[in-house]
Amino acid sequence: MQRNPYLPLPMKLVKNFTETEDKLIHTFTFQFLSEEDEKSFPYMPGQFAEVCVFGKGEAPFGIASSPTEPGFLKFSVAKVGVVSTALHLMEEGTIAGVRGPLGNYYPVEQMKGKNIVIIGGGFAFTTLRSLITYILEPGHRGDYGRLTVIYGARNPGLLLYKDELDQWDQRSDIDLVCTIDRPVDGWTRKVGFVPAVTKEVAPSSENAVAIICGPPVMIKFTMPELEALGFKPEQIIMSLENRMKCGIGMCGRCNVGNKYVCKDGPVFTKAELNQLPNEY
Amino acid sequence: MIIAKNDLPGLLDKLMSEYEVYAPVKEGAYSLYKKIKSGSEACFGYVNSKIPPKGVLFPQSEKLFCYNMTGEGAKLEECIDSGKKVVFGIRPCDAKSLLLLDNVFNNDKFRDPYYLTRRENTLLVGMACLEPAGTCFCTSMGTGPFDKAGLDIMLTDIGDAYLVEPVSEKGGALAAGLGLSAAGEEQKAAAAKARDSAEVACRVNIEGLKARLDANFYDPIWERFHEKCLGCAACTYSCPTCHCFDIVDEAVDCNGCRVRNWDSCMFPLFTLHGSGHNPRPGGKERMRQRVMHKFKYFVDNFNATACVGCGRCIKNCPVNLDIREILADIQGEGRSDK
Ligand SMILES: Cc1cc2nc3c(=O)[nH]c(=O)nc-3n(C[C@H](O)[C@H](O)[C@H](O)COP(=O)(O)OP(=O)(O)OC[C@H]3O[C@@H](n4cnc5c(N)ncnc54)[C@H](O)[C@@H]3O)c2cc1C
Ligand code: SF4
Ligand code: SF4
Ligand code: FES
C-alpha cells in the first residue's frame, strides 16, 4: 500500500528568521533528517505541505524553497492562529513535522519557450519565490524566455526575501519591478498599487504566461489590466488558498465546485476557474 | 440457507469468537449500530438506525497516530485498526453508501489507510427491508429495500426465520462455515412474497436534476432553502454518505495524538480562512454546497449521487427541512406532498 498520507515526516527547524519589519511573517528553514527522507519528498514549485507543530496541530503552507535547492524546505508563515503562532515561537533545533508534497504545481513544462510574467502581492509571494528560483537555475533558465516579476507590498518593510530581491536586481536575466503603496524616504523603486504598475510595465502577452498570486483585491483589479494587455484566460495562472485540513481530497472543505483545491489545485488557469463557481 | 430467529443470538455469539460484531442495539427510542458483547443484545425490530453504521469504518472520532516527543525528535505510532469485523443487519441503503464512500477514501491520487484497512476486513451482512419508512426514498436513488449491492450476505425475514443468501465470495465462505440448513422451496417463496409486498411509497424525481444543477448555481432559488435552517448539522452527521472531517491534535506535555473528527459543511467555521474571508459565508451558500455536493459534484466526479435516500436527514432535522422538497423545488415541481 502507498505511504500513509497522514503521517508527517520529522524535520529539524534550522532557521527561524523574522522576515518582515512588523515581525508578523517568519521564514522557517527545515532540514531533512536523512537522504532517504528527502527522496521521499520530491516536489515542484507551487506545491504546498502541511506543517505540524506536535501538540498544536498542522496547517497548510506553500513551499517557498525550490527543488533546485536540495537539503531543506522553506516556508514563510504569517502569524494568524494556533499553528502559525506556535511556529513563530519555535526554537531552532526543534523537530516539527511536514506532510506532503501536496497539490499540483505551476505548469513548468508547458511554460517552456514562453515569456514569463510573475505578479505577486503581499505575503502570497512564497511559491512565486520557488518558481523564480527554479527558472533562474542555470540548467533551466534557457528553457524560458523573458522573465518579468512585479512584486508589491504595502511598505518596504513588508517585502519578503529582501536579500534575494537585491540579487535579482543585479541580474540581466530577470526584470524585477518592486513597488510599495505609498512613497517612503529612501525608497528608489516604484510606488503604486500592483494593478497600476502592471499597466505601466505593460508586459507583452505575446507568447507569454502570467502567474498571479496575492490578496483578492489585488487579483480583482489586476485581472482587467492583464486582459487589456491581451492575456487570454488560458494564459493566466492562479493559485488558490481555500481552508484545508487533509490536503488529499477527503475532508471535504476546500472544494470549489467539483474540484478540491488541495488535490486538483491549488494551481488553476483562469480559464479553468471560469468554469467553476466563485467560492474562493 | 436458513436460520431460525431463535438461533440468531447463538450464531452471533459464534461470530464474536472470530469477529468484532456490530449490530443494531436499542438505545432508548432509537436503534444504533454498536459492538455487541452478547448475541442477545442485537435487536432486529428496527426500520433503520438513528445514525448510520458508516462509523464502524469511519468513526466519529479516531486517532490517526500517537506521538511521543523526545530530545531527538518525535516517535510516531500509527493507529491502524485491522481487526476483523462483521456489520450484522446493515440496511441496503447503508451498504450502498459505503460503495460511494470508497470513491472518496480511495481517490485518483490518495488512499486513506484507516478507512480502507477497516473496509477490507469488514463483512457486511445485510437485512432486507420489509417495511420501509415514510421518509425512505431509496428506490429513487439507485438502491432499494432488496438491493444486494455491496453486501456479502443478505438476510430476509420470513416470519420465524431468516432466508440467508450469500452475495459475495467472502459472504459465501462465511455462510458455509455457519452450519446452516438449506432453505426449502416454501421458505424461498415466502421471501419472494415479502419482497413483492415491500413498498417504498415515496419517490423523488431526479431525472434531469443534474442538468438543472449544472446551470443554476447563481439562481435566486437558493435564497429560500436555508431560511429555516439552524446550521446545526444534524443532517450531515446522520447522513451515511457525508464524509467531511476535521483533524486536530490532542496532547499533554510530550505525548499526543492526531485525531480526526466528523465535521460538517453546514458550519461557518468549516471554510473560514485565516484572513477572515469565508468563501461560503452564509446559510445560503452552505445549503447550496450540501445539495450541490450530493447531486452534482459527486455525480461529476464519480457518476453517482451522494444520497441513498435513507431519509435520516429528514427525520433528524429539528425544523423539518426536507431534502425531497428541495429537490422537487429545483425540478420546478413545487412543494411535493411528502
Ligand atoms: C495551499 C495553501 C497555501 C498557503 N500558504 C501559506 C503561506 O505560504 N504562508 C502563510 O502564512 N499562510 C499560507 N496559507 C494560509 C495558512 O494555511 C493559514 O494561515 C493557516 O492554516 C492558519 O493556521 P493556524 O493554525 O495558525 O490558524 P487557526 O488557529 O486555524 O486560525 C486561523 C484563523 O481562523 C479563524 N478561526 C479559527 N478558529 C476560529 C474560531 N473558533 N472562531 C472564530 N474564528 C476562528 C480566525 O480568523 C483565525 O485567525 C496557505 C493556505 C493554503 C490552503
Ligand atoms: S442526504 Fe439525507 S436521505 Fe440522502 S443519504 Fe444523506 S441522510 Fe440519507
Ligand atoms: S438538520 Fe436541518 S436545521 Fe440542522 S443544518 Fe441540517 S437542514 Fe439545517
Ligand atoms: S483539504 Fe481536505 S478535501 Fe481539500
Side-chain angles (χ1 to χ4, degrees):
Chain A
M1 204 192 260
Q2 187 193 47
R3 190 172 69 166
N4 181 343
Y6 294 94
L7 286 189
L9 203 61
M11 288 187 80
K12 184 189 231 159
L13 178 66
V14 291
K15 193 156 190 208
N16 179 344
F17 174 73
T18 307
E19 189 72 52
T20 53
E21 241 167 52
D22 63 5
K23 301 192 171 60
L24 290 180
I25 297 174
H26 285 198
T27 294
F28 301 91
T29 308
F30 290 101
Q31 199 169 41
F32 289 102
L33 299 185
S34 73
E35 221 167 284
E36 207 177 301
D37 283 0
E38 183 168 6
K39 277 215 196 83
S40 72
F41 200 101
Y43 71 99
M44 291 295 279
Q47 287 194 285
F48 67 97
E50 289 277 347
V51 177
C52 87
V53 180
F54 290 105
K56 297 292 179 191
E58 54 178 14
F61 301 105
I63 305 174
S65 50
S66 153
T68 54
E69 305 168 300
F72 61 87
L73 296 176
K74 254 191 204 192
F75 301 91
S76 295
V77 174
K79 186 169 151 185
V80 298
V82 178
V83 175
S84 50
T85 303
L87 273 171
H88 275 232
L89 298 173
M90 191 179 270
E91 281 175 36
E92 291 174 0
T94 308
I95 301 290
V98 178
R99 183 158 81 75
L102 298 167
N104 65 356
Y105 46 92
Y106 295 119
V108 289
E109 286 302 317
Q110 289 98 297
M111 283 156 54
K112 281 186 177 166
K114 306 217 163 115
N115 296 319
I116 312 293
V117 180
I118 293 176
I119 303 175
F123 69 90
F125 199 63
T126 56
T127 58
L128 295 181
R129 181 214 170 260
S130 172
L131 179 63
I132 294 166
T133 307
Y134 181 90
I135 293 174
L136 288 178
E137 169 77 11
H140 296 154
R141 185 64 190 90
D143 293 340
Y144 304 92
R146 276 188 74 158
L147 174 60
T148 308
V149 177
I150 299 170
Y151 176 28
R154 275 210 311 280
N155 61 58
L158 295 184
L159 287 167
L160 308 183
Y161 319 125
K162 290 177 205 58
D163 291 349
E164 273 170 311
L165 295 177
D166 288 341
Q167 286 166 22
W168 294 343
D169 251 347
Q170 310 298 316
R171 297 177 67 138
S172 56
D173 57 355
I174 167 171
D175 298 319
L176 174 67
V177 182
C178 283
T179 179
I180 56 171
D181 291 359
R182 266 172 270 283
V184 166
D185 279 348
W187 177 258
T188 54
R189 303 192 237 199
K190 284 231 174 314
V191 175
F193 295 112
V194 167
V197 172
T198 304
K199 187 174 182 180
E200 191 187 323
V201 173
S204 163
S205 58
E206 182 92 25
N207 189 34
V209 175
I211 298 120
I212 171 164
C213 289
V217 270
M218 182 202 99
I219 299 204
K220 185 172 165 203
F221 291 107
T222 307
M223 230 21 116
E225 300 300 344
L226 286 176
E227 278 158 23
L229 289 165
F231 282 89
K232 304 241 151 32
E234 296 75 28
Q235 289 173 278
I236 303 176
I237 293 167
M238 292 163 69
S239 181
L240 302 187
E241 282 200 0
N242 277 23
R243 188 172 179 133
M244 296 180 183
K245 279 288 172 179
C246 71
I248 56 177
M250 296 177 188
C251 79
R253 82 190 54 230
C254 71
N255 75 296
V256 177
N258 59 16
K259 301 275 185 241
Y260 286 111
V261 175
C262 63
K263 172 173 79 69
D264 306 313
V267 176
F268 295 94
T269 63
K270 184 77 178 74
E272 288 169 325
L273 291 180
N274 286 346
Q275 303 295 312
L276 298 173
N278 62 355
E279 286 191 341
Y280 46 87
Chain B
M1 278 170 279
I2 202 93
I3 172 127
K5 283 189 176 171
N6 288 338
D7 295 340
L8 198 55
L11 178 133
L12 291 172
D13 286 334
K14 194 166 153 191
L15 279 179
M16 276 159 47
S17 63
E18 205 184 330
Y19 299 92
E20 295 166 28
V21 178
Y22 294 81
V25 167
K26 270 256 172 285
E27 289 259 320
Y30 310 130
S31 286
L32 288 175
Y33 287 85
K34 292 213 154 170
K35 188 158 129 185
I36 55 170
K37 291 186 207 72
S38 146
S40 56
E41 282 175 61
C43 181
F44 294 100
Y46 64 112
V47 176
N48 207 350
S49 59
K50 177 95 171 160
I51 309 271
K54 75 172 175 190
V56 175
L57 298 131
F58 170 44
Q60 182 161 2
S61 179
E62 78 174 300
K63 284 180 187 164
L64 299 178
F65 57 88
C66 292
Y67 49 81
N68 172 255
M69 300 301 294
T70 62
E72 286 83 68
K75 259 225 216 59
L76 303 187
E77 200 188 321
E78 239 177 341
C79 307
I80 292 197
D81 168 10
S82 53
K84 288 167 75 180
K85 304 179 204 316
V86 172
V87 184
F88 203 98
I90 188 172
R91 291 299 190 189
C93 58
D94 290 333
K96 167 85 184 209
S97 80
L98 297 175
L99 293 175
L100 298 171
L101 289 178
D102 289 347
N103 291 304
V104 175
F105 290 115
N106 187 6
N107 64 34
D108 56 338
K109 299 200 177 110
F110 296 97
R111 292 169 56 80
D112 183 293
Y114 303 92
Y115 173 89
L116 293 172
T117 305
R118 288 201 189 87
R119 190 81 165 96
E120 268 161 37
N121 292 306
T122 302
L123 285 153
L124 302 177
V125 178
M127 184 71 79
C129 302
L130 302 192
E131 292 174 339
T135 43
C136 295
F137 57 104
C138 50
T139 50
S140 306
M141 294 292 144
T143 175
F146 287 85
D147 186 9
K148 291 178 184 164
L151 291 175
D152 294 298
I153 293 178
M154 170 73 111
L155 304 183
T156 307
D157 189 332
I158 49 168
D160 50 6
Y162 294 103
L163 182 76
V164 179
E165 295 170 276
V167 181
S168 71
E169 217 170 284
K170 271 172 149 181
L174 181 74
L178 294 175
L180 302 176
S181 48
E185 286 311 315
E186 208 174 305
Q187 288 156 320
K188 284 186 193 162
K193 191 160 164 243
R195 189 170 320 159
D196 293 340
S197 57
E199 203 194 340
V200 177
C202 174
R203 296 201 178 264
V204 173
N205 173 20
I206 60 162
E207 210 180 299
L209 175 67
K210 165 73 165 64
R212 285 175 189 264
L213 293 173
D214 282 342
N216 79 353
F217 190 89
Y218 299 103
D219 206 281
I221 199 167
W222 299 106
E223 305 288 346
R224 299 206 307 271
F225 301 138
H226 71 285
E227 278 172 348
K228 287 195 293 182
C229 175
L230 311 170
C232 69
C235 49
T236 56
Y237 275 74
S238 59
C239 177
T241 68
C242 279
H243 57 83
C244 291
F245 59 83
D246 191 14
I247 302 179
V248 295
D249 274 35
E250 289 177 2
V252 182
D253 299 330
C254 300
N255 297 304
C257 302
R258 183 140 308 148
V259 178
R260 80 163 156 203
N261 300 314
W262 289 356
D263 202 344
S264 173
C265 63
M266 301 304 277
F267 292 141
L269 289 183
F270 190 61
T271 48
L272 181 69
H273 290 196
S275 62
H277 171 66
N278 195 338
R280 292 198 278 267
K284 169 187 153 188
E285 292 83 7
R286 295 193 282 275
M287 183 64 82
R288 182 173 58 196
Q289 162 67 16
R290 181 174 156 240
V291 175
M292 283 282 182
H293 180 230
K294 293 192 174 301
F295 300 97
K296 167 172 159 58
Y297 305 154
F298 209 88
V299 185
D300 284 337
N301 290 332
F302 306 120
N303 204 19
T305 52
C307 170
V308 293
C310 74
R312 287 188 181 91
C313 59
I314 304 165
K315 276 197 188 146
N316 288 337
C317 178
V319 296
N320 297 321
L321 262 164
D322 190 328
I323 188 80
R324 296 169 300 183
E325 290 179 14
I326 293 179
L327 296 180
D329 259 11
I330 293 170
Q331 293 281 54
E333 294 166 0
R335 301 274 159 181
S336 67
D337 47 355
K338 284 179 245 184

